[in-house]
Amino acid sequence: MACAVTCPVWHCFGINKKPRFRVRAERLDGNDLSVVSTDGVSVKETTVPVVVGKGYLVDGGNGSLKSRIEKKMGCEELELLWDDGYGTNTVKDYVDAAKDMIKPDGGPPRWFCPVECGRPIKDSPLLLFLPGLDGVGMGLILHHKPLGKVFEVQCLHIPVHDRTPFEGLVKLVEETVRLEHASRLNCPIYLVGDSIGGCLALAVAARNPSIDLLMILVNPATSLGRSRLQPFLPILEAFPDGLHVRTIPFLLSLVIGEPLKMAEVGVERRLLPTQKIERISSNLTALLPFYSGLADILPTETLIWKLKLIKSASAYTNSRLHAVKAEVLVLASDKDHLFPSGEEALRLKKLLPNCMIRIFKDNGHTLLMEDSINLLTVIKGTCKYRRSKSHDFTKDFLPPSMSEYRYTFNNVFGFLNFASCSSLFSTMENGKIVKGLAGVPDEGPVLLVGNHMLMGMDLSSLCEAFLREKKILVRGVAHPELFWGNFHTSSNVFNFFDLMKVMGAMPVSPKSLLKALSTNSHVLLYPGGAREALHRKGEAYKLFWPNQPEFVRFAAQFGATIVPFGAVGEDDMAKVVFDYYDYMKIPMLNDRIKEVIRNGGVQIRDKAKGEVASQEIFIPGMIPKIPGRFYYLFGKPIKLKGREDLVENRESANEVYLQAKAEVESCIGYLLKKREEDPFRSIINRLIYRTFYAPLHQVPSFKP
């Protein structure tokens, strides 16, 4: 029998304030469970008060019952540049929510679902949040809105005065996991464990190796033996409680994260310096209740109990790490004053067979309540979001939100886009060249085929322009090295390669290309691949395309439109002074590159011949120049609708292929000539113009 407590009943308790936070709680169990009134829940003949607070509702279960979210879905899919709400909540909101949730209610640990999460999209997986030392369960409050769009979120609440041992918590979570797994056999269950919650997640995974669990561990407490807490544990065990008073302030100071990173949440990078300082100062002042309220969330007796609980949790979990087979993502803070989380992430990566890590250098212990980390963005960027047994780059892709768009193109690629100040042109069906992207079809499937500039510098400006001008997401196919090779496994920080995946990048393969075209997408393909992006000295704007016209046959299969384009400007940004041939002349570097490729590098086009087959991944030596400008020209579209004959007729397909290649070369030649007429090619002239006139994307260029 199921019991659901979802109605707004705060008025029954004399609370007239409009709620800011609410929690939907539901119970599912074979035992007889019934609601006896609006102010209590009958559980096994024991009435436990329902805790009703400032805008949320927590059910009063006995902790041994399982919980499950009512399967009501919102939209089928997310819109492009959707509002994820990240940054609208801050640490102050956590304090407001925690004040009422920590009031004693006599109940055991239980699950709740923040109503603020809303209704997720269809077929969303379940996400269980396991809290850290505070036990409140509101540690994801900054991430409720974005996570709630794509997950069924449930959070574990451990009351302040609860003294359930670690093994009891493991069994509670385990029962919930097993029940949910039985109802969704082909869907993963996410366990997000913060601090001691990380130990809890690992323990459950070790006991249930056959269940498809995907764990996200945030500064896990498995490193207790090397933490600053270790010297205090014998003192806590040996002396009476009255002698602990002097150690409590120091212990609480370790729990607190980086105040500045907390205050930066929601502060836009585009603000003027004076505005930023004013906003951050205001947020720092608003954090004061957090520090004073921490003593209420973790009173002396509870803090001592939690520290002892960490000891048993760490020992229990570390002894069972060998049994963990689940997929793991470890998020660690380099400035964690409580645990050596950065070192622990590296240790877990070595011990766990399917583990990836991301280290955040400027964050503290309370990583989930600090700036610089949108948890959903990290999940997407590490390709950890999936709705079935394996990740599908098409079916599991979530379009970027507005906050991700701003962060990517303002913060990460902002300087490059500012320095390059791209100017885009396109060709209409009648052959006329116009400013902007009007000549590129709005309706897909569309295959954009062009030349790669040095280090792929052309990518960010091109993708940003399509999003800004046409509200179209261009899905680029990238080298598999970024997904499965050395670049993917060796990178320990969340970087621009991860953001490329957030913005739609997928591994280049016939399967990926066919799937993307089948969904009527705009797909970006560089036939020259890494060979063009990592070209040698003197090879700027030279094409290194394979001899096989495969992309033409793929496009014809779905009646796609091929749009050839050319891009120039790399020679105005940097000069290659040390290339692949120079590397190969140095024995140590030669051997190192070959070893890296042999031991983990992903090779593509193994059967290709000629220059395009040489796709060794290396970083050329470059000297920056005074920035010039990037130029793009999209040629006349080649429509393949009704040309299904090209799928089988390779000779005809090759003619279209050569036509597209010739068009790309023509676009490059046109831009190299016409850019000499641009009065704003120099960054100095652009800066002067922008001071008095237009924003970046409206700086004039040559007349086509």
Side-chain angles (χ1 to χ4, degrees):
M1 180 179 179
C3 165
V5 184
T6 57
C7 57
V9 298
W10 48 87
H11 60 275
C12 300
F13 296 82
I15 298 176
N16 298 320
K17 292 187 68 175
K18 185 177 180 180
R20 292 188 65 188
F21 300 95
R22 292 183 297 162
V23 175
R24 180 178 68 247
E26 303 187 58
R27 313 297 279 167
L28 182 64
D29 192 31
N31 299 319
D32 186 16
L33 183 67
S34 60
V35 178
V36 295
S37 69
T38 57
D39 60 353
V41 178
S42 176
V43 183
K44 294 185 178 180
E45 301 181 353
T46 301
T47 300
V48 181
V50 174
V51 180
V52 180
K54 192 174 182 179
Y56 64 90
L57 178 65
V58 182
D59 77 325
N62 68 351
S64 64
L65 302 179
K66 292 84 178 176
S67 165
R68 187 176 179 186
I69 293 177
E70 182 181 2
K71 293 186 178 298
K72 293 180 181 179
M73 300 300 172
C75 59
E76 291 288 324
E77 296 294 340
L78 295 174
E79 297 180 353
L80 181 62
L81 301 183
W82 53 286
D83 180 13
D84 62 6
Y86 179 73
T88 56
N89 287 340
T90 64
V91 179
K92 183 180 182 300
D93 297 313
Y94 166 83
V95 175
D96 293 339
K99 282 181 181 178
D100 292 319
M101 292 188 71
I102 62 176
K103 292 179 180 178
D105 59 17
R110 80 294 303 262
W111 296 100
F112 68 89
C113 173
V115 172
E116 194 178 34
C117 290
R119 294 178 178 177
I121 60 175
K122 184 179 179 182
D123 299 327
S124 295
L126 174 68
L127 185 150
L128 301 177
F129 175 62
L130 311 177
L133 280 173
D134 65 312
V136 175
M138 296 297 287
L140 283 179
I141 194 166
L142 271 64
H143 312 274
H144 282 168
K145 292 179 181 178
L147 290 177
K149 287 288 187 180
V150 296
F151 287 105
E152 297 179 9
V153 180
Q154 293 193 66
C155 305
L156 180 63
H157 172 66
I158 305 174
V160 172
H161 299 290
D162 179 77
R163 297 297 181 261
T164 303
F166 182 71
E167 290 192 29
L169 296 175
V170 171
K171 290 180 181 179
L172 185 149
V173 177
E174 184 179 50
E175 288 176 357
T176 303
V177 166
R178 289 180 177 178
L179 176 67
E180 294 293 342
H181 173 66
S183 66
R184 50 176 89 201
L185 294 176
N186 296 319
C187 187
I189 297 175
Y190 284 72
L191 297 180
V192 179
D194 184 13
S195 186
I196 190 174
C199 292
L200 191 53
L202 286 169
V204 172
R207 291 163 59 104
N208 299 273
S210 61
I211 296 180
D212 185 11
L213 297 176
L214 204 157
M215 296 188 297
I216 302 172
L217 312 178
V218 184
N219 295 327
T222 48
S223 61
L224 177 65
R226 305 186 310 279
S227 75
R228 299 177 68 180
L229 285 177
Q230 185 62 30
F232 292 92
L233 296 179
I235 299 175
L236 295 175
E237 295 174 352
F239 291 94
D241 292 346
L243 297 179
H244 300 152
V245 177
R246 294 186 178 181
T247 64
I248 297 305
F250 174 73
L251 295 176
L252 287 176
S253 69
L254 297 179
V255 177
I256 298 173
E258 291 293 311
L260 185 59
K261 299 299 290 185
M262 291 182 179
E264 288 177 350
V265 173
V267 179
E268 294 187 18
R269 298 294 194 275
R270 295 180 296 175
L271 295 176
L272 295 174
T274 54
Q275 294 175 318
K276 284 185 182 179
I277 294 173
E278 183 179 349
R279 287 286 303 276
I280 293 173
S281 299
S282 175
N283 291 346
L284 281 171
T285 303
L287 281 178
L288 294 177
F290 171 71
Y291 301 121
S292 60
L294 194 60
D296 297 326
I297 298 172
L298 288 172
T300 302
E301 297 80 5
T302 301
L303 179 59
I304 294 171
W305 164 257
K306 290 293 179 69
L307 294 178
K308 294 178 180 179
L309 191 66
I310 287 180
K311 182 178 179 180
S312 61
S314 180
Y316 184 98
T317 305
N318 277 302
S319 66
R320 291 165 173 79
L321 286 179
H322 64 278
V324 177
K325 308 300 179 186
E327 194 172 351
V328 180
L329 171 63
V330 181
L331 308 181
S333 302
D334 244 1
K335 291 186 178 180
D336 186 349
H337 302 301
L338 191 63
F339 301 118
S341 296
E343 297 176 5
E344 180 64 6
L346 296 173
R347 185 181 79 96
L348 291 175
K349 184 177 181 180
K350 293 180 181 178
L351 293 177
L352 302 178
N354 192 7
C355 180
M356 180 189 302
I357 69 174
R358 288 294 181 267
I359 298 177
F360 298 84
K361 296 183 178 180
D362 299 322
N363 292 83
H365 182 69
T366 54
L367 181 60
L368 294 175
M369 287 195 287
E370 298 176 14
D371 192 33
S372 301
I373 170 172
N374 181 338
L375 183 56
L376 179 59
T377 303
V378 175
I379 293 173
K380 293 163 61 177
T382 51
C383 299
K384 294 300 181 185
Y385 185 80
R386 54 186 174 91
R387 286 171 270 194
S388 57
K389 291 185 177 181
S390 59
H391 177 78
D392 188 296
F393 285 94
T394 302
K395 294 181 179 179
D396 292 326
F397 177 70
L398 301 173
S401 65
M402 180 57 73
S403 69
E404 290 169 339
Y405 166 80
R406 289 172 179 165
Y407 178 79
T408 301
F409 296 110
N410 292 341
N411 297 6
V412 179
F413 295 109
F415 177 76
L416 177 61
N417 291 345
F418 169 79
S420 60
C421 189
S422 300
S423 183
L424 294 92
F425 302 86
S426 59
T427 307
M428 307 300 289
E429 290 189 10
N430 59 6
K432 181 181 179 181
I433 298 176
V434 297
K435 186 82 164 61
L437 299 173
V440 180
D442 293 332
E443 300 296 327
V446 172
L447 183 61
L448 306 172
V449 182
N451 66 297
H452 229 340
M453 286 200 288
L454 183 63
M455 294 295 296
M457 290 189 291
D458 49 290
L459 278 169
S460 64
S461 298
L462 187 150
C463 295
E464 191 274 337
F466 270 87
L467 284 169
R468 172 175 38 82
E469 185 173 334
K470 299 180 79 71
K471 301 298 185 291
I472 290 175
L473 177 68
V474 174
R475 299 214 59 187
V477 287
H479 198 288
E481 183 74 21
L482 304 182
F483 300 88
W484 302 300
N486 291 306
F487 274 30
H488 175 68
T489 56
S490 63
S491 176
N492 294 332
V493 296
F494 194 81
N495 53 39
F496 67 91
F497 292 120
D498 293 325
L499 286 172
M500 286 174 58
K501 302 165 194 173
V502 173
M503 301 309 296
M506 52 188 176
V508 58
S509 69
K511 184 178 180 180
S512 296
L513 193 58
L514 288 171
K515 279 189 174 183
L517 291 173
S518 69
T519 59
N520 296 326
S521 301
H522 283 63
V523 184
L524 176 62
L525 175 67
Y526 293 102
R531 180 62 182 86
E532 281 182 7
L534 304 175
H535 59 69
R536 292 33 161 167
K537 288 181 287 189
E539 294 180 347
Y541 314 128
K542 183 178 179 181
L543 301 186
F544 295 93
W545 286 20
N547 297 324
Q548 299 86 0
E550 298 307 309
F551 72 77
V552 174
R553 300 174 63 218
F554 293 156
Q557 184 173 339
F558 296 96
T561 299
I562 297 177
V563 181
F565 73 92
V568 303
E570 68 167 78
D571 54 339
D572 277 352
M573 302 294 290
K575 178 181 179 181
V576 178
V577 295
F578 201 83
D579 63 13
Y580 179 76
Y581 297 129
D582 296 321
Y583 279 109
M584 292 299 101
K585 293 176 183 178
I586 303 175
M588 292 182 63
L589 293 178
N590 187 328
D591 296 339
R592 176 58 180 165
I593 292 175
K594 292 181 178 179
E595 180 184 357
V596 169
I597 295 172
R598 182 171 59 252
N599 294 336
V602 178
Q603 291 295 301
I604 60 175
R605 292 173 173 166
D606 291 336
K607 298 180 181 179
K609 298 180 180 179
E611 284 290 334
V612 74
S614 179
Q615 295 229 4
E616 291 84 356
I617 302 298
F618 68 99
I619 305 298
M622 299 174 290
I623 296 178
K625 295 183 176 181
I626 297 176
R629 196 172 190 181
F630 285 169
Y631 301 88
Y632 301 81
L633 173 59
F634 294 85
K636 187 175 181 179
I638 304 174
K639 297 183 178 181
L640 299 185
K641 189 174 183 178
R643 295 293 310 274
E644 291 81 2
D645 60 297
L646 298 177
V647 178
E648 300 296 336
N649 192 331
R650 288 182 174 271
E651 185 175 344
S652 298
N654 192 60
E655 292 178 2
V656 177
Y657 176 83
L658 294 176
Q659 177 187 352
K661 185 178 181 181
E663 184 70 13
V664 171
E665 292 174 330
S666 176
C667 290
I668 294 173
Y670 175 89
L671 292 174
L672 289 174
K673 180 180 179 181
K674 292 291 290 184
R675 70 175 178 176
E676 301 296 334
E677 303 174 11
D678 182 7
F680 298 99
R681 181 178 174 185
S682 167
I683 190 173
I684 298 175
N685 292 345
R686 295 198 300 271
L687 286 174
I688 296 174
Y689 182 87
R690 288 196 62 210
T691 302
F692 299 99
Y693 296 99
L696 183 66
H697 63 273
Q698 294 181 7
V699 176
S701 183
F702 60 79
K703 293 184 179 180

